[in-house]
Amino acid sequence: LYVDGWYTSSRRHDDIVRAVVQSSMQRPATVPNLYQVVYEGQTSDDFDAIAERARAWAVMAKAAIEETTLDQWLPAWGERIDGEMVELPFQCENFYSPAPGYTNYGLSQVLGLDINDAEKTALTSVLGQASHVYANSETLILAQPDWAWYEHDVDFDRSALHRFVVSSDGERTPYQGSGFVEGVVHDQFSIDEREGIIRVATTRTTYAEERIDDVGPDVWIRPVTHNLVSTVELDDGELSVLGKTPDLAEDERIFSVRFLGDIGYVVTFRQVDPLFAIDLSDPENPTVLGELKIPGFSSYLHPLGDDHLLGIGVGGDDTGANWRTQVSLFDVSNFAEPSQADALELSLPGGWSWSEARWDH
């Protein structure tokens, strides 16, 4: 089987494997290219001339689009049979378009395969290119940064979430709905779903004006980051935010997350490493239970029983990270007072070290 695009990730549900593939929405050659028409091979500061050429492009593009057929826009997928490529038709019922504004350019495609029966395949396509994939036994969630957030009258970056139904009994992956959360998702462990509620940890960036000095008139725009955990539910085909934590750790970013039952653990970093324990048992009122500040940071968290977390990251001191691999054991038996039970810093001669486990679980 061949799918037009590039591989993102995959998940297995018993005998069903689902591979997530990203692809561009290809522009038929008969539709004129915006930039070639508007800029005519050169840049120009004449705004009126640029606007006039843009209007001319729009007229030409609309006329050309009306002459195209659907198959000119869709990426190809097919099967190699006896050495020959046989193109497979798209199933319209498996092609989804979220509400306008919920997606960026491109497609996310979920290819479902039954590993015991090569004849059983299904391709689900949804508008928008996703960068992170989460799945449990019932739900698959795709997340993508909204690069055009500033066009939608919001003052911070945000991410779109797309929710799908998965099953081990069939290869189809029906789409359920989409929505936004504030901030940008760090990795797959930043997303979780429990009893129908999606929980997602994000780093949100806003921009503040600050004076360059105390007396000068000039200002500069400084990015300001905060971190939060939002809870989201599906409501009539739309993912709506139920609740969210207060802003956490100003001017820091999320480096690792782990959701275990009704508790979420979030590690942020700038100079020292806060480990937050967050109670999510009431989705409308996520609550920070406790916080631990230690030097360095963990970029991956792994549960060890009910009362401990293994952290893999780097060590450091009060001035910041030393970038030497450190393995930490956190005692989380008391959510209000998480503690570092032990730590082992691994360094080679010369005082440096690294581990792939810091970014590849």
Side-chain angles (χ1 to χ4, degrees):
L1 288 168
Y2 293 82
V3 180
D4 187 11
W6 55 95
Y7 172 81
T8 301
S9 189
S10 57
R11 298 294 185 272
R12 175 178 169 180
H13 297 83
D14 293 332
D15 293 334
I16 306 300
V17 171
R18 292 176 172 88
V20 180
V21 176
Q22 308 300 318
S23 61
S24 300
M25 286 290 288
Q26 56 196 25
R27 175 182 55 85
T30 55
V31 178
N33 182 285
L34 169 66
Y35 294 99
Q36 290 178 350
V37 174
V38 169
Y39 293 105
E40 296 181 338
Q42 60 183 0
T43 59
S44 171
D45 294 329
D46 187 342
F47 179 80
D48 291 336
I50 292 174
E52 181 62 29
R53 290 196 294 271
R55 286 190 287 268
W57 167 83
V59 173
M60 291 187 291
K62 288 178 181 178
I65 289 171
E66 290 177 351
E67 297 298 320
T68 61
T69 58
L70 182 60
D71 58 1
Q72 290 178 266
W73 294 89
L74 298 177
W77 82 299
E79 182 177 359
R80 185 177 295 278
I81 301 176
D82 297 329
E84 298 291 333
M85 272 293 291
V86 177
E87 191 165 336
L88 299 175
F90 275 86
Q91 302 296 323
C92 289
E93 66 271 19
N94 293 337
F95 202 109
Y96 300 97
S97 176
Y102 278 122
T103 65
N104 289 321
Y105 191 74
L107 284 172
S108 294
Q109 303 184 87
V110 184
L111 177 62
L113 311 165
D114 188 326
I115 59 178
N116 287 324
D117 188 345
E119 299 298 319
K120 293 183 178 179
T121 63
L123 188 66
T124 296
S125 301
V126 63
L127 288 176
Q129 288 182 357
S131 53
H132 298 297
V133 180
Y134 165 84
N136 58 24
S137 61
E138 299 175 349
T139 303
L140 183 141
I141 297 168
L142 303 182
Q144 67 177 94
D146 175 24
W147 301 114
W149 57 268
Y150 53 87
E151 297 179 359
H152 300 289
D153 197 29
V154 292
D155 297 326
F156 44 79
D157 55 356
R158 61 183 185 177
S159 295
L161 303 178
H162 310 296
R163 178 171 173 158
F164 301 80
V165 177
V166 297
S167 169
S168 59
D169 296 326
E171 62 278 358
R172 290 191 67 241
T173 314
Y175 164 80
Q176 289 185 301
S178 300
F180 287 113
V181 291
E182 298 178 13
V184 176
V185 175
H186 175 61
D187 61 13
Q188 69 183 60
F189 297 103
S190 300
I191 308 170
D192 185 69
E193 194 268 354
R194 179 177 170 87
E195 297 178 352
I197 303 298
I198 299 172
R199 297 92 68 86
V200 55
T202 55
T203 297
R204 185 190 65 226
T205 302
T206 55
Y207 296 88
E209 289 188 354
E210 290 189 354
R211 292 196 177 278
I212 294 177
D213 54 50
D214 294 335
V215 295
D218 295 331
V219 298
W220 69 299
I221 305 300
R222 183 176 74 88
V224 180
T225 61
H226 292 91
N227 306 278
L228 65 155
V229 176
S230 303
T231 57
V232 180
E233 70 171 349
L234 184 68
D235 182 17
D236 194 25
E238 184 174 345
L239 295 179
S240 302
V241 175
L242 277 176
K244 57 185 179 181
T245 61
D247 292 344
L248 307 173
E250 182 175 339
D251 285 336
E252 300 187 5
R253 303 191 69 85
I254 288 176
F255 272 66
S256 59
V257 181
R258 198 75 192 221
F259 292 99
L260 301 173
D262 286 328
I263 304 296
Y265 299 98
V266 177
V267 170
T268 64
F269 179 71
R270 186 183 182 191
Q271 296 294 344
V272 296
D273 167 9
L275 169 67
F276 296 94
I278 299 169
D279 183 1
L280 298 162
S281 58
D282 180 359
E284 296 184 10
N285 297 285
T287 304
V288 177
L289 298 176
E291 176 183 355
L292 168 67
K293 288 188 176 182
I294 57 174
F297 64 86
S298 297
S299 53
Y300 174 67
L301 297 174
H302 191 86
L304 294 177
D306 295 331
D307 297 333
H308 293 86
L309 286 175
L310 180 73
I312 300 175
V314 299
D317 53 33
D318 291 341
T319 64
N322 60 20
W323 303 105
R324 292 194 286 268
T325 299
Q326 179 170 287
V327 181
S328 303
L329 183 66
F330 299 106
D331 185 339
V332 292
S333 56
N334 182 354
F335 300 132
E337 296 182 3
S339 62
Q340 187 181 59
D342 204 352
L344 175 64
E345 188 174 279
L346 308 171
S347 62
L348 299 172
W352 66 275
S353 62
W354 62 277
S355 170
E356 286 189 60
R358 281 168 42 194
W359 57 83
D360 183 352
H361 67 277

